[in-house]
Amino acid sequence: MPELGNYEIHTENVVLDVDGEPMSAYVARPTEAGDHPGVVIAFEMFGLTSYIREVTDRVASLGYVAVAPDFYHRADPGIELKADEDGRRRGFELLDTLTRGGALADVEAAMAYTAADKVAMVGCSAGGHIAYLAAAELGFAATAVFYGGWLTGTELPISRPEPTLSLTPAIAGKLLYLVGDSDHAVPAEQVDRIAAALAGSRHELVVYPDTGHGFFCHQRDSYREGPAADAWRRVTDLFEAELH
């Protein structure tokens, strides 16, 4: 696992209320007393895996209360999928059960749990889509999107009724979008459309050469150390500038 930041952290699993139903979440927070900004972490299609928990720990070690909700709590709570063919198949089945309203309710519950005045969000892949959506609907101070896919169409329930990309004008906080130039899930044509939609807003869009999907995940062969390190630096700088 990549190195943590300067803050010692405490981790725990909690249960949050979402419209009267329980939702588990993984929480990491600095042990140091005081008010800390909040960050919501949105997972890939594989669920609340050890990788996402490690990302949550890394965020918390920078001095934030980080909360990673289980967006699959309605359909298959607690599931952790392998990043293989069967995992992707089941992941898409579960994404087909996650509505736009449900995802936003889950994010709102996580935001409330941080009890922070300023809250940001990080999302990876499918979670990047959720983060982009939440940036438009929930008013984050800052949002970091790692290769968020399906923004330009209506393939998934979270992208309906209108494509999530069409909500871009409502994004008030700064948005960082990170993607590789060889990403099969976000091809160049879609990157161009995302760039055009973000034009005029407070944003940074970074395209890494010779880099594919999932480059930030240090647990898989898709990991690319250089782009991952640069992306983390940009996320760190974003939160430092927008949350303090």
Side-chain angles (χ1 to χ4, degrees):
M1 175 181 170
E3 291 184 5
L4 297 176
N6 295 326
Y7 285 80
E8 293 185 5
I9 62 172
H10 167 76
T11 66
E12 61 182 322
N13 296 300
V14 301
V15 177
L16 309 182
D17 178 87
V18 181
D19 298 329
E21 298 293 334
M23 176 184 71
S24 63
Y26 178 79
V27 177
R29 66 174 71 242
T31 58
E32 180 179 298
D35 294 329
H36 301 283
V39 180
V40 179
I41 314 294
F43 59 51
E44 306 167 298
M45 66 163 59
F46 306 113
L48 192 45
T49 60
S50 63
Y51 161 59
I52 294 301
R53 293 193 293 271
E54 288 179 356
V55 172
T56 307
D57 292 349
R58 290 182 73 187
V59 170
S61 74
L62 298 175
Y64 305 110
V65 178
V67 181
D70 179 9
F71 292 98
Y72 292 158
H73 66 97
R74 299 172 185 83
D76 201 343
I79 191 169
E80 296 185 39
L81 300 169
K82 293 183 178 180
D84 56 17
E85 184 175 346
D86 287 342
R88 290 181 178 86
R89 176 188 54 78
R90 180 58 177 154
F92 275 115
E93 290 176 352
L94 290 169
L95 285 175
D96 277 336
T97 71
L98 182 60
T99 66
R100 178 173 281 183
L104 290 172
D106 295 346
V107 174
E108 284 187 295
M111 291 175 69
Y113 185 82
T114 70
D117 292 332
K118 289 188 176 181
V119 184
M121 189 164 181
V122 176
C124 299
S125 193
H129 186 127
I130 295 172
Y132 200 105
L133 169 66
E137 297 288 347
L138 301 179
F140 285 108
T143 306
V145 176
F146 284 84
Y147 31 83
W150 309 287
L151 292 172
T152 62
T154 55
E155 300 96 323
L156 299 176
I158 54 174
S159 63
R160 301 173 195 148
E162 70 276 41
T164 299
L165 191 65
S166 68
L167 305 177
T168 303
I171 298 176
K174 186 170 182 179
L175 187 135
L176 171 65
Y177 191 97
L178 304 153
V179 68
D181 68 350
S182 304
D183 194 314
H184 68 277
V186 194
E189 179 271 336
Q190 290 189 21
V191 174
D192 290 343
R193 292 176 64 182
I194 294 167
L198 288 169
S201 67
R202 296 179 61 233
H203 79 282
E204 182 180 10
L205 190 151
V206 183
V207 181
Y208 295 102
D210 303 317
T211 301
H213 195 72
F215 69 81
F216 193 64
C217 182
H218 58 277
Q219 294 186 1
R220 300 198 293 267
D221 291 341
S222 59
Y223 178 65
R224 294 295 179 268
E225 183 176 3
D230 180 81
W232 184 244
R233 176 186 61 79
R234 293 176 188 273
V235 171
T236 301
D237 290 348
L238 173 70
F239 290 170
E240 181 66 27
E242 302 299 327
L243 294 179
H244 296 278

